[in-house]
Amino acid sequence: MSRTEVVRLSGEAPAEPPPLRRRRRVPEAASPERPERHFKGVAVSPGIAIGPAFAAQQPALSIVRREINDYEREDELHRFDEAVAASKKQLTKLKSRIALLPPDAERELEPLLDAYVQMLGPSRLVRGVRKRVEAGLNAEGAVADETEALAAAMAEAPGDAPSRKRRTEEVREIGARLARNLAKAPFRSFAHVPAGGVLLAETLTPADAALLDPARIAGVAAGEGGSEGHTAIMLRSLGIPTVLGVEEISTLARPGDHAVIDGNAGTVTLNPSPERLAAARQALAAYAREKQRLAKLARLAAVTKDGEPVELQANLELPIELPLVAQAGAQGIGLLRSEFLFMNRDDVPDEDAQYDAYCEIVEAMGGDPVTIRVLDWGGEKQIDSLTAAGFEAEAGANPALGLRGIRVLLRQPEIFETQLGAILRAAARGPVKILLPMVTTPSEVRAAREALERVARRLRRRGASIPDPLPPLGAMIETPGAALAADALALEADFFAIGTNDLAMYALAVDRAHAVVAPLYDPLHPAVLRLIQFATEAALRLRMPVSVCGEIAGDPRFTPLLLGLGLRTLSMGAANIPRVKQAVRALEIDAAARLARRVMEQSDPARITELVEGFGREG
Ligand code: PEP
Ligand code: MG
């Protein structure tokens, strides 16, 4: 093996792109020399942008990775420490600049920058790099290797795909910054993007996105990135129409090209035809009107045309999403996936650490309810800190059918009771509900309630302040077994939250994360709808609260059907709340109930889709 090799670190951008020279005014529409070119990407931030294209290309930074001898070790560690210090300084400077951004963007970025700074503290990344240098690798190689090792571990870590991707991006962003500082390479600047221009880049980090001025930059398209990354979140909160995932977009554009970004359809057009340009202008005006209407919605009630109130709550994974929750006008948190607390760390958070995290969320919600789902560990979700601490969630041959959620917690009382203790104490600070994942039998709810009461007794003996009565204890309805036994479960649980993501997976025997069988994953399959209906009716008969917190709750196409089935509480990603509210306010409950009756008579998923999508269009 050679002692020295050169690796390319993607996402690195030392080169400053040449300024676009303003010569003759180039026509906006296509011409024989500039034919129209149309690309499809991922729609990330809605809106339409029309303007001169500015390609900010990013040559990769070459990193020399080599073995070092004993005498070089101290120097390399010193260079690494300097790069860490420089990176911290840059992030602090960046933090002072974000005060100039719109408040939403500032709220979005600040915790992210704090997370970056934390990664530069006594973190796994810093420890890992030092270890690699001590083992005989130069600083650049150690940073590149440790970043990739951590990113790979995060890509495999438990949690949903978007949050895994986001964490992976964060590590890579810090790795790239360290590499840039080790090489003393200059930073990319977007200062040359012409006013009203469209920025085309191969990669765009969240920190890059923070530097974009929405008053100057009309739209963005980049080669890399998905809709749930921090870059996407940032661009959404800055309100810049964005399409990501258009490979090579920055090399495809020529100086003088014009671009249309359609952040709703996820398309980028270079040199649009006169017809496309005219359509884009119309869409731009229509979008501006729509945006104004949606912004006003945050202050309006979620109530149907005929006066039926509907509760729209938010799903939350990370406290970083709290500003979005407030901005969307959510009426509480319908699902707090507590797994985030246990991830990306070497140790298991103790009761106090969990208490602090829950308090932050409960207090931020200012009296609106927070539904904390206890740890959904197991199945394909592995949590390293728990495994390292000696806890077990034996996967078995079919992990999704093995130990997961409540099954693990009842076998590992130490994890369960620590979490319940933290939740009970946080419940003294505001209304909290406790939700159990992966329930299949009433005895699991009974056992969980016994544990809750045991923990409450212990806390009272300790003199801790906890609410009386204890918070409601609910069950996720996310397996066909739970849905079909909902009447029995309703006698044990205080509320239901229907998790249609897993419910559809288990009902249809289709892995929700498996691309090949993805076409079979259909929440409008009659089997799934019948399970939702059965569970909802079981709850309603007992006047027990029931909500839906799977992804369909955030899709306005499903709103009439869900309300028609009797549901009145929907919990979703905060960004979806305005559009779902719009759907709620546009419908009448009787019409929704008629739709649900017609849908439930059908057995053909295609016909069901037709009915659901045709709702409101039939007159
Ligand atoms: C669900 O299964 O629908 C759900 C909300 O839980 P999760 O997506 O966290 O599994
Ligand atoms: Mg689930």
Side-chain angles (χ1 to χ4, degrees):
M1 195 184 90
S2 79
R3 283 169 55 87
T4 301
E5 57 185 292
V6 175
V7 290
R8 314 278 288 175
L9 193 73
S10 62
E12 197 42 41
E16 177 107 347
L20 188 79
R21 284 204 185 83
R22 279 192 170 277
R23 279 169 288 154
R24 272 182 311 122
R25 187 168 147 34
V26 184
E28 284 183 316
S31 63
E33 311 85 71
R34 293 180 185 276
E36 176 181 281
R37 280 176 302 163
H38 190 65
F39 308 94
K40 181 90 184 88
V42 184
V44 153
S45 176
I48 310 284
I50 307 170
F54 180 88
Q57 286 173 10
Q58 308 195 72
L61 177 69
S62 295
I63 302 226
V64 178
R65 186 182 175 286
R66 62 180 181 88
E67 287 169 21
I68 54 170
N69 59 39
D70 291 352
Y71 302 106
E72 293 174 286
R73 200 171 297 145
E74 277 312 307
D75 279 353
E76 288 301 291
L77 285 173
H78 181 66
R79 284 183 59 236
F80 175 61
D81 290 342
E82 278 187 344
V84 169
S87 303
K88 277 187 186 160
K89 214 164 137 191
Q90 287 151 2
L91 289 168
T92 310
K93 202 165 145 201
L94 195 57
K95 225 176 136 176
S96 66
R97 290 189 60 170
I98 62 168
L100 306 172
L101 293 175
D104 295 346
E106 188 188 340
R107 279 198 297 270
E108 182 62 51
L109 192 68
E110 200 172 7
L112 177 63
L113 292 182
D114 288 342
Y116 286 161
V117 173
Q118 233 173 34
M119 268 193 264
L120 293 169
S123 65
R124 208 167 130 185
L125 174 68
V126 169
R127 278 198 304 278
V129 172
R130 294 186 72 87
K131 237 189 224 161
R132 286 176 196 268
V133 173
E134 272 153 14
L137 194 57
N138 68 332
E140 280 87 345
V143 165
D145 287 6
E146 186 59 28
T147 304
E148 273 322 297
L150 265 179
M154 277 167 189
E156 296 290 306
D160 60 19
S163 48
R164 279 202 305 263
K165 193 159 184 288
R166 215 152 52 196
R167 284 191 290 273
T168 309
E169 276 173 14
E170 282 172 12
V171 172
R172 289 214 167 101
E173 156 71 2
I174 282 297
R177 185 171 289 276
L178 285 168
R180 190 161 48 212
N181 282 319
L182 278 167
K184 302 212 184 321
F187 282 82
R188 176 171 53 173
S189 151
F190 298 116
H192 300 295
V193 184
V198 169
L199 172 67
L200 310 176
E202 234 11 72
T203 61
L204 202 67
T205 66
D208 289 335
L211 296 177
L212 301 182
D213 177 357
R216 277 180 58 81
I217 294 185
V220 170
E224 289 178 7
S227 71
E228 302 306 324
H230 278 303
T231 299
I233 293 173
M234 275 303 303
L235 288 158
R236 270 199 291 273
S237 62
L238 288 169
I240 301 178
T242 302
V243 176
L244 298 182
V246 190
E247 273 178 40
E248 302 292 327
I249 188 65
S250 63
T251 47
L252 290 167
R254 289 181 300 154
D257 278 357
H258 270 76
V260 170
I261 303 282
D262 185 334
N264 304 38
T267 58
V268 180
T269 311
L270 295 177
N271 307 313
S273 65
E275 299 75 38
R276 201 187 294 271
L277 190 59
R281 287 200 176 116
Q282 264 183 13
L284 183 65
Y287 182 72
R289 288 194 297 273
E290 161 88 344
K291 212 170 147 190
Q292 272 182 342
R293 230 188 357 256
L294 285 178
K296 282 188 201 141
L297 274 174
R299 294 188 300 274
L300 297 181
V303 58
T304 63
K305 257 173 153 175
D306 46 352
E308 184 73 20
V310 177
E311 217 171 348
L312 301 182
Q313 301 187 316
N315 291 353
L316 188 87
E317 229 194 10
L318 294 166
I320 193 176
E321 295 156 28
L322 278 168
L324 225 105
V325 172
Q327 187 190 327
Q331 298 160 278
I333 305 240
L335 171 66
L336 167 61
R337 291 178 165 105
S338 65
E339 292 82 55
F340 78 85
L341 263 183
F342 293 78
M343 292 175 187
N344 296 325
R345 49 187 301 153
D346 297 331
D347 57 339
V348 178
D350 63 11
E351 188 185 301
D352 284 345
Q354 291 190 50
Y355 166 73
D356 289 345
Y358 302 140
C359 279
E360 182 190 344
I361 296 166
V362 169
E363 280 164 10
M365 291 311 294
D368 283 334
V370 176
T371 310
I372 304 178
R373 185 176 70 186
V374 286
L375 188 65
D376 186 15
W377 182 33
E380 89 284 26
K381 298 182 185 176
Q382 286 311 317
I383 300 182
D384 294 344
S385 62
L386 288 165
T387 316
F391 296 109
E392 265 182 69
E394 180 52 52
N398 295 301
L401 307 180
L403 285 183
R404 181 185 164 184
I406 190 65
R407 301 174 183 180
V408 183
L409 295 174
L410 291 176
R411 280 168 183 76
Q412 314 265 358
E414 196 183 329
I415 306 174
F416 192 28
E417 296 189 9
T418 303
Q419 187 170 26
L420 290 176
I423 296 174
L424 279 179
R425 284 168 56 204
R429 312 290 278 263
V432 161
K433 296 162 107 180
I434 302 172
L435 182 57
L436 307 172
M438 258 311 262
V439 169
T440 48
T441 78
S443 65
E444 287 166 330
V445 183
R446 266 198 303 276
R449 198 181 292 282
E450 280 162 21
L452 184 67
E453 282 162 1
R454 201 164 41 243
V455 174
R457 282 196 297 277
R458 208 179 297 145
L459 286 173
R460 284 195 199 102
R461 277 200 300 274
R462 251 167 57 185
S465 142
I466 60 168
D468 182 17
L470 294 179
L473 183 68
M476 288 286 291
I477 303 293
E478 53 185 348
T479 64
L484 294 172
D487 42 359
L489 282 172
L491 300 175
E492 298 294 340
D494 299 321
F495 67 95
F496 284 162
I498 306 179
T500 49
N501 305 338
D502 277 319
L503 190 58
M505 168 170 102
Y506 288 117
L508 304 175
V510 177
D511 187 336
R512 61 195 252 197
H514 193 313
V516 178
V517 287
L520 290 171
Y521 185 91
D522 179 12
L524 285 177
H525 189 290
V528 181
L529 296 181
R530 286 170 193 170
L531 293 168
I532 297 174
Q533 183 185 40
F534 191 90
T536 304
E537 289 181 354
L540 295 180
R541 270 196 301 277
L542 294 181
R543 297 182 187 283
M544 191 179 89
V546 53
S547 64
V548 170
C549 61
E551 289 303 297
I552 64 169
D555 185 338
R557 288 175 311 152
F558 287 78
T559 311
L561 175 60
L562 294 175
L563 297 192
L565 287 172
L567 288 147
R568 294 292 180 270
T569 306
L570 306 175
S571 189
M572 66 204 78
N576 296 327
I577 289 179
R579 277 176 210 285
V580 172
K581 192 186 276 185
Q582 183 170 262
V584 168
R585 292 176 60 86
L587 64 80
E588 285 180 8
I589 279 294
D590 281 354
R594 274 198 302 279
L595 168 76
R597 274 197 298 278
R598 286 184 72 190
V599 163
M600 298 315 290
E601 282 162 8
Q602 302 299 322
S603 47
D604 175 10
R607 176 68 189 133
I608 293 176
T609 307
E610 217 174 271
L611 282 172
V612 166
E613 294 192 343
F615 179 80
R617 283 195 227 130
E618 306 162 334

